Amino acid sequence: MNISAFLTSAGINIGLCVVLLLLYSLLRKQPSNFCVYFVRRLAQARQKCIDSLWFDRFVPSPSWILKAWETSEDEILSTAGLDAVVFIRILVFSLRVFSIAAFVCMFLVLPLNYHGQQMHHKEIAFESLEVFSIGNVKEGSKWLWAHCLALYIISCSAWLLLYFEYRSIANMRLAHIKASAMNPSHFTVLVRSIPWSPEDSYSDSVEKFFSNYHLLTYLGHQMVYRCGTVQKLMGDAEMMCRMMRSENRAVECKQNLFNCGPCGGPSQAFRMLSTGPESVQGKSVCRDLDTSTREEVAAAFVFFKTRYAADVASQVPQSSNPMLWVTDLAPEPHDVYWSNLCIPFKQLWIRRIATLLAAIVFMFLFLIPVTFVQGLTQLDTLHHTFPFLRGLLKKKFMSQLVTGYLPSVVLMLFLYTVPPTMMLFSTVEGCISRSRRKKSACHKVLCFTIWNVFFVNVLSGSVISQLNVFSSPKDIPAQLARAVPAQASFFMTYIFTSGLASLSSEVMQPLALLWNLIRRFILRKKDDLYDKPLSFPYHIEVPRVLLFGLLGFTFSILAPLMLPFLLAYFLLAFLVYRNQILNVYSPTYETGGQLWPTVHNTTIFSLVLMQIIALGVFGLKRSPVASGFTIPLIICSLLFNEYCRQRFHPIFKNSAAQMLIDMDRQDEQSGRTEEIHRQLRSAYCQFKSGHSDQSDNGKSIRDSEEEKPGLIHPMLGRLPLPGINDLIAWLSVLFRRGLQQSE
């Protein structure tokens, strides 16, 4: 690919991105779009803060960029939690390390690559991108020491920045745990695989077991009941019957001039009842419902008097049979994925194997579109495969468009199917919490993306040839050294297409904007419906950012021309994601920065991969000195990773006994122990969460408004459909009238 074809792709993507950002700066100021671009703030403030008569709302402005830039890290921490801060720190780390890499490589490595061979250079517009890569350096060149020096500078900078980031985030995690003194998950243990007894129910078995073996620290327990579509409908019907009985009104069918419904009842026969839990005789739904009619499963939440006792019980095996009385620290109440708690514990290992095999099959099936994309980058292959396109491809602009822009667009469109598929696999896997499900999906998407986007495109060919590359480990550096520099042009266009397109789509929120337009101008709903804010899609954005980081490391000394464009992406991503976190997304649960170990391990993998590829390149260029100096870098990277794993990773895995005991003592001294124990009784209420949506501060985000019937779509918002409670109430009344008429 020459410079002109690359500039064609870059111009198209940059132009579209600029147009969409300008359009966003206009649309966000329109009062009708506040529920799209300020959904988090509206859900908390419940009022408009911008005058609809301002003239400024018809003029594009960079005010949102300035606001995102000026917001401090403490504000993001208080607004969106530690997980959002960790994601922003990923972008900050990338900006710092690639700024150093760009400065070194652009002024030291790039000129040496361009003048690596004695040749007659064309005009810049017609030069091939390969003359800016290390492939243009002749064999045995004495200037390869500059590439080795740049490799050392980048590696040492990455180690130093990684260490400071890991230490800082570990300290923030410790501070987060200490600040969340009232978190019920610190006192709660999830017990699964409870043995069945013909004499006792599961609840009685839990009571007897923990009263016997944890007598001094056991506080109580909450059973988990089977929940599904049928169970939910039965529970809603029972709740509606109780609500109608509490009204103590006799509904009579009398003939009237104005009949309502198929039964011919009077027009006042129906009255909307509140679906809130306070409507049932002033009692909580989960306490008022008769749990004896529900089916218990072999799982329960067990409450302990202290954090230390709960932590010990979660780590120590409770039985000589490790498949019985399996314990784990409970997730936060809003983080529990209730439907997966009903899965028998003995099925989990089968589900994990099945989802692993399904992910591998899906990964290999994805080779078909990747191979097709690689064919688009080669004009000779296109002429041979599609002879009828020869006339069209002879045009200069069309050939540049097909080889420079179209391949990355096609690959990006296929990649949009990956996150939902991996999220489905993680759900089937049986994760007990939403955060674990999203983390599992993040790992799957990350492995899938690195393999199919990087390795498959680099080692393009048949599946058998790609596997043969790894059959002899000693040939891996040489194979990567030959293949990676040749794909630099494709990945440069991929950064533009995937990176800028994803940021533009993220800031525009096209699906939510489209549904808002349909609701207002087609369905004619003028009232403001403030939808529940969405949670941040970490399983989509984190793998994308880490993939771009891998591309930056591997191509830093091979094709330095990529680094300025990569820096532009990270800077724009820093601004866009800060804006979205402040205005759109709202956390429903908090993991305490659990994603950072994944970020650290992936960065170390990228560093080692960069050094292995450099080792192979120096070997192909017949530079034994540079090759010899590269081997210690690989060893130091592995040793640095092992040190961080021993020093910081246990903080993200378990809580220290010293910290837990100190927190328990502070509760006793301040007199909060009894209050915490009272809150534990109602913290994990399985059938209450379906009737009230909770915000990040634990308060209902719909307390001040009347409950509106509808369904919540994760992207489109509230759909104007009747609620299930309304349908059940209507059917219940019809059924009672039918019985009265039959009698």
Side-chain angles (χ1 to χ4, degrees):
M1 181 188 296
N2 56 24
I3 294 293
S4 59
F6 171 72
L7 292 178
T8 300
S9 174
I12 294 174
N13 287 284
I14 293 176
L16 289 176
C17 182
V18 171
V19 170
L20 291 176
L21 291 179
L22 291 175
L23 184 60
Y24 166 74
S25 67
L26 287 175
L27 293 176
R28 70 190 297 270
K29 298 179 182 181
Q30 312 307 314
S32 60
N33 295 328
F34 289 169
C35 59
V36 177
Y37 298 118
F38 298 97
V39 59
R40 189 193 66 82
R41 293 191 175 185
L42 290 177
Q44 293 181 351
R46 314 304 308 161
Q47 60 183 1
K48 297 181 182 179
C49 302
I50 302 177
D51 189 359
S52 61
L53 299 179
W54 282 5
F55 176 75
D56 182 62
R57 68 187 179 93
F58 298 103
V59 180
S61 65
S63 60
W64 67 276
I65 297 179
L66 297 177
K67 175 63 177 176
W69 180 267
E70 294 173 354
T71 303
S72 64
E73 188 176 271
D74 293 335
E75 292 181 79
I76 296 178
L77 181 61
S78 60
T79 301
L82 183 57
D83 292 335
V85 173
V86 168
F87 181 77
I88 297 298
R89 294 296 282 269
I90 300 173
L91 300 174
V92 173
F93 166 79
S94 302
L95 283 171
R96 290 173 177 172
V97 70
F98 290 120
S99 296
I100 299 173
F103 179 80
V104 173
C105 294
M106 291 298 292
F107 291 100
L108 180 62
V109 176
L110 186 63
L112 296 179
N113 290 345
Y114 187 72
H115 298 286
Q117 295 184 7
Q118 295 180 356
M119 57 180 296
H120 177 71
H121 289 282
K122 305 176 183 178
E123 295 182 7
I124 294 296
F126 300 101
E127 283 280 16
S128 174
L129 289 176
E130 294 180 359
V131 302
F132 297 97
S133 68
I134 199 172
N136 196 48
V137 179
K138 64 180 180 180
E139 296 183 1
S141 175
K142 298 180 180 180
W143 294 105
L144 287 173
W145 66 266
H147 297 77
C148 185
L149 177 62
L151 188 66
Y152 264 81
I153 295 175
I154 296 172
S155 299
C156 294
S157 302
W159 296 337
L160 190 63
L161 292 173
L162 269 179
Y163 174 80
F164 287 126
E165 291 292 340
Y166 216 152
R167 186 181 66 177
S168 175
I169 294 175
N171 292 333
M172 286 193 292
R173 174 174 170 80
L174 294 177
H176 166 74
I177 295 175
K178 292 180 181 178
S180 57
M182 304 293 289
N183 192 342
S185 63
H186 294 172
F187 299 84
T188 310
V189 171
L190 175 63
V191 181
R192 289 178 292 176
S193 190
I194 302 172
W196 179 80
S197 174
E199 294 85 7
D200 301 323
S201 63
Y202 284 124
S203 180
D204 295 336
S205 299
V206 172
E207 182 75 24
K208 290 181 179 179
F209 182 86
F210 285 93
S211 297
N212 185 22
Y213 296 103
H214 298 269
L215 177 62
L216 299 179
T217 57
Y218 171 68
L219 182 64
H221 70 278
Q222 170 67 47
M223 292 304 302
V224 177
Y225 300 93
R226 188 169 304 280
C227 58
T229 304
V230 176
Q231 286 78 15
K232 186 177 184 302
L233 292 175
M234 293 175 62
D236 288 338
E238 182 178 354
M239 187 193 69
M240 290 304 301
C241 290
R242 290 170 179 261
M243 292 168 63
M244 287 186 290
R245 290 196 199 102
S246 64
E247 292 296 322
N248 197 18
R249 292 182 56 190
V251 181
E252 298 178 1
C253 291
K254 298 181 180 180
Q255 296 297 328
N256 197 326
L257 295 177
F258 302 98
N259 292 335
C260 176
C263 298
S267 58
Q268 300 295 329
F270 290 91
R271 187 166 69 89
M272 293 302 297
L273 301 177
S274 173
T275 59
E278 69 279 357
S279 63
V280 188
Q281 298 179 353
K283 299 181 180 180
S284 175
V285 173
C286 74
R287 294 181 180 179
D288 190 58
L289 286 178
D290 186 9
T291 55
S292 62
T293 60
R294 300 186 183 276
E295 180 184 356
E296 294 179 347
V297 298
F301 290 98
V302 179
F303 309 121
F304 289 84
K305 297 179 181 180
T306 62
R307 298 175 182 84
Y308 179 72
D311 190 73
V312 171
S314 66
Q315 299 185 34
V316 177
Q318 301 297 317
S319 172
S320 57
N321 184 355
M323 297 294 289
L324 296 177
W325 299 104
V326 180
T327 57
D328 192 7
L329 273 179
E332 294 183 1
H334 300 293
D335 192 18
V336 178
Y337 198 73
W338 292 99
S339 59
N340 278 358
L341 297 184
C342 303
I343 300 174
F345 182 79
K346 296 180 180 180
Q347 292 184 7
L348 293 181
W349 69 275
I350 302 177
R351 287 172 172 263
R352 293 191 184 102
I353 295 176
T355 53
L356 177 62
L357 294 177
I360 293 174
V361 171
F362 182 65
M363 186 179 299
F364 280 97
L365 289 177
F366 205 81
L367 294 176
I368 299 175
V370 173
T371 305
F372 174 73
V373 166
Q374 281 300 313
L376 292 178
T377 61
Q378 303 173 6
L379 279 178
D380 296 337
T381 304
L382 289 176
H383 289 161
H384 179 72
T385 307
F386 305 103
F388 57 90
L389 295 178
R390 291 180 180 178
L392 184 64
L393 294 177
K394 288 181 180 179
K395 298 180 181 180
K396 183 178 179 180
F397 176 77
M398 291 302 300
S399 63
Q400 294 175 353
L401 181 66
V402 171
T403 59
Y405 180 70
L406 191 59
S408 54
V409 172
V410 174
L411 181 61
M412 182 188 67
L413 293 177
F414 278 107
L415 285 175
Y416 277 136
T417 63
V418 176
T421 305
M422 295 305 176
M423 181 63 81
L424 176 62
F425 290 161
S426 299
T427 303
V428 176
E429 200 173 37
C431 297
I432 63 174
S433 65
R434 302 179 187 276
S435 59
R436 291 189 186 182
R437 181 183 64 156
K438 188 168 289 189
K439 184 179 178 181
S440 175
C442 179
H443 291 164
K444 292 180 176 63
V445 174
L446 179 61
C447 296
F448 183 94
T449 305
I450 291 177
W451 169 253
N452 279 285
V453 176
F454 182 77
F455 285 104
V456 174
N457 279 285
V458 165
L459 308 172
S460 56
S462 64
V463 178
I464 298 178
S465 66
Q466 293 166 23
L467 295 178
N468 289 336
V469 171
F470 300 98
S471 60
S472 54
K474 64 179 181 179
D475 296 334
I476 291 178
Q479 293 287 348
L480 292 176
R482 294 188 184 96
V484 171
Q487 297 296 327
S489 58
F490 169 78
F491 286 115
M492 290 175 68
T493 59
Y494 179 79
I495 290 175
F496 276 112
T497 305
S498 178
L500 297 184
S502 63
L503 294 178
S504 303
S505 175
E506 173 63 35
V507 76
M508 281 292 295
Q509 296 289 308
L511 293 180
L513 180 63
L514 177 62
W515 170 244
N516 182 58
L517 294 175
I518 294 175
R519 182 174 59 186
R520 290 186 178 275
F521 298 104
I522 297 180
L523 301 178
R524 298 295 183 180
K525 289 187 174 293
K526 298 297 183 182
D527 53 334
D528 293 325
L529 297 177
Y530 301 142
D531 298 333
K532 178 183 177 182
L534 302 176
S535 60
F536 192 85
Y538 293 105
H539 66 294
I540 300 176
E541 305 303 336
V542 171
R544 180 183 289 118
V545 173
L546 294 180
L547 173 65
F548 288 157
L550 182 142
L551 295 179
F553 281 117
T554 53
F555 287 97
S556 55
I557 66 170
L558 304 182
L561 198 60
M562 179 185 294
L563 294 177
F565 306 109
L566 197 63
L567 274 177
Y569 164 78
F570 283 121
L571 180 59
L572 183 60
F574 175 79
L575 298 173
V576 167
Y577 288 125
R578 272 184 162 233
N579 176 77
Q580 299 300 95
I581 288 172
L582 292 173
N583 298 319
V584 178
Y585 297 111
S586 180
T588 55
Y589 49 81
E590 182 67 51
T591 66
Q594 288 282 359
L595 280 174
W596 184 257
T598 301
V599 176
H600 176 85
N601 294 334
T602 306
T603 305
I604 293 296
F605 172 78
S606 302
L607 281 173
V608 173
L609 182 63
M610 172 188 68
Q611 295 156 2
I612 291 176
I613 294 174
L615 177 65
V617 170
F618 294 150
L620 292 177
K621 296 296 181 180
R622 301 180 185 278
S623 178
V625 177
S627 300
F629 276 97
T630 305
I631 295 177
L633 277 180
I634 302 175
I635 298 175
C636 290
S637 295
L638 298 177
L639 291 177
F640 170 76
N641 181 53
E642 182 62 22
Y643 170 77
C644 290
R645 191 180 69 85
Q646 298 289 340
R647 171 63 180 84
F648 299 115
H649 184 66
I651 298 176
F652 293 82
K653 189 176 181 181
N654 298 310
S655 298
Q658 178 185 7
M659 181 176 60
L660 296 178
I661 294 175
D662 289 341
M663 294 175 66
D664 291 332
R665 289 175 178 173
Q666 291 176 4
D667 291 339
E668 293 178 359
Q669 295 173 1
S670 61
R672 293 182 302 184
T673 304
E674 295 298 330
E675 180 184 358
I676 294 175
H677 291 172
R678 285 195 303 269
Q679 293 180 0
L680 287 176
R681 298 291 183 178
S682 59
Y684 291 89
C685 190
Q686 182 175 1
F687 301 102
K688 183 179 180 180
S689 60
H691 300 283
S692 61
D693 297 326
Q694 303 290 331
S695 63
D696 54 347
N697 58 2
K699 297 179 181 179
S700 176
I701 64 175
R702 299 184 204 164
D703 286 344
S704 60
E705 70 172 349
E706 182 183 358
E707 182 70 18
K708 299 178 178 65
L711 300 176
I712 297 295
H713 190 277
M715 290 297 293
L716 302 182
R718 184 180 293 278
L719 303 180
L721 298 176
I724 187 64
N725 293 335
D726 301 329
L727 296 178
I728 292 176
W730 184 69
L731 293 175
S732 300
V733 174
L734 291 183
F735 181 72
R736 292 175 59 187
R737 291 176 179 232
L739 290 178
Q740 292 175 1
Q741 291 179 358
S742 63
E743 293 176 356

